[in-house]
Amino acid sequence: SIPELLVTDVADVIRSTIEYLKTRTSGKVIFIMDFDPEKKIEAPLNASLFSWVIENLCKNAIDAMNSSGSIQLNVLEKNNQIFIDVSDTGKGIAKAYFKTVFQPGFTTKKRGWGLGLSLAKRIVENYHKGKIFLKHSEINKGTTFRIILNK
C-alpha cells in the first residue's frame, strides 16, 4: 500500500530519531544537528518511514566509524526544496562503489543483507518523490549522503 504523506516538520522527525538513537549508541558517537531547532521545516512526509531512513543512514555511519566518531546532520531550505546531509567520520566508500551502494545486496559488512540503502532509496524516491544519493566520500575521512525533499 502507498504510505500516507502528511505535512510534517522534517527537523522534528530528525531530532526525535537522533534522540532515540543516542540512547542506543556508544557515548563515543557524537551527533551534531546543524539546523535551527526553533524553525519549522515542513514537507509532505510519512514520518515513520522517513525516520527509518535517517536511522538507517546513521546506523551505517556508526558501523563505518566502529562506534566512535561524529555524525553531522545538516538541514537547509532552498526555494521549494529541503536538503538533508548526513555526514560521518567513518572509513569512507571507495569511488568504485559509488554507483552500486543503493543496489539490493550491496554491503561492505561481514553480516547483513545489503538492503538498507536500497530500501532507503525506495522510501525517499518512490514514496516521497525526493532524491537520495552519495554526495561525497573519502577513504578514512568519511561519507556524506544527501536527501532532497520537495516541499
Side-chain angles (χ1 to χ4, degrees):
S1 66
I2 306 249
E4 188 180 5
L5 303 181
L6 302 170
V7 174
T8 307
D9 184 354
V10 175
D12 199 43
V13 173
I14 293 171
R15 238 187 327 276
S16 63
T17 304
I18 297 309
E19 291 308 314
Y20 167 83
L21 279 171
K22 277 182 180 176
T23 63
R24 288 156 179 80
T25 307
S26 155
K28 295 178 187 166
V29 175
I30 298 160
F31 291 93
I32 303 159
M33 289 183 272
D34 188 12
F35 50 90
D36 184 350
E38 304 300 314
K39 187 177 180 202
K40 276 191 168 201
I41 303 170
E42 294 183 322
L45 277 188
N46 178 295
S48 59
L49 286 178
F50 188 73
S51 175
W52 184 89
V53 169
I54 298 299
E55 182 180 341
N56 183 262
L57 289 173
C58 289
K59 283 181 174 178
N60 285 348
I62 292 163
D63 287 345
M65 299 184 309
N66 294 321
S67 299
S68 179
S70 65
I71 299 172
Q72 183 163 341
L73 295 104
N74 294 55
V75 181
L76 176 75
E77 273 182 291
K78 208 155 121 186
N79 302 327
N80 281 331
Q81 293 184 310
I82 300 167
F83 297 86
I84 302 144
D85 287 348
V86 180
S87 304
D88 66 54
T89 56
K91 62 186 173 211
I93 299 168
K95 284 221 184 324
Y97 297 124
F98 276 31
K99 293 209 184 318
T100 57
V101 293
F102 289 101
Q103 290 178 1
F106 176 87
T107 184
T108 58
K109 300 174 191 174
K110 286 183 175 58
R111 298 174 55 152
W113 293 60
L115 296 175
L117 286 176
S118 65
L119 187 53
K121 186 175 184 74
R122 189 167 156 194
I123 290 168
V124 171
E125 297 188 356
N126 295 6
Y127 296 149
H128 292 88
K129 305 297 179 223
K131 285 188 172 70
I132 182 170
F133 55 93
L134 179 54
K135 182 181 175 196
H136 179 79
S137 190
E138 207 174 320
I139 299 298
N140 298 322
K141 294 256 166 104
T143 300
T144 300
F145 282 92
R146 173 165 277 184
I147 299 169
I148 303 173
L149 297 174
N150 297 307
K151 292 170 93 180

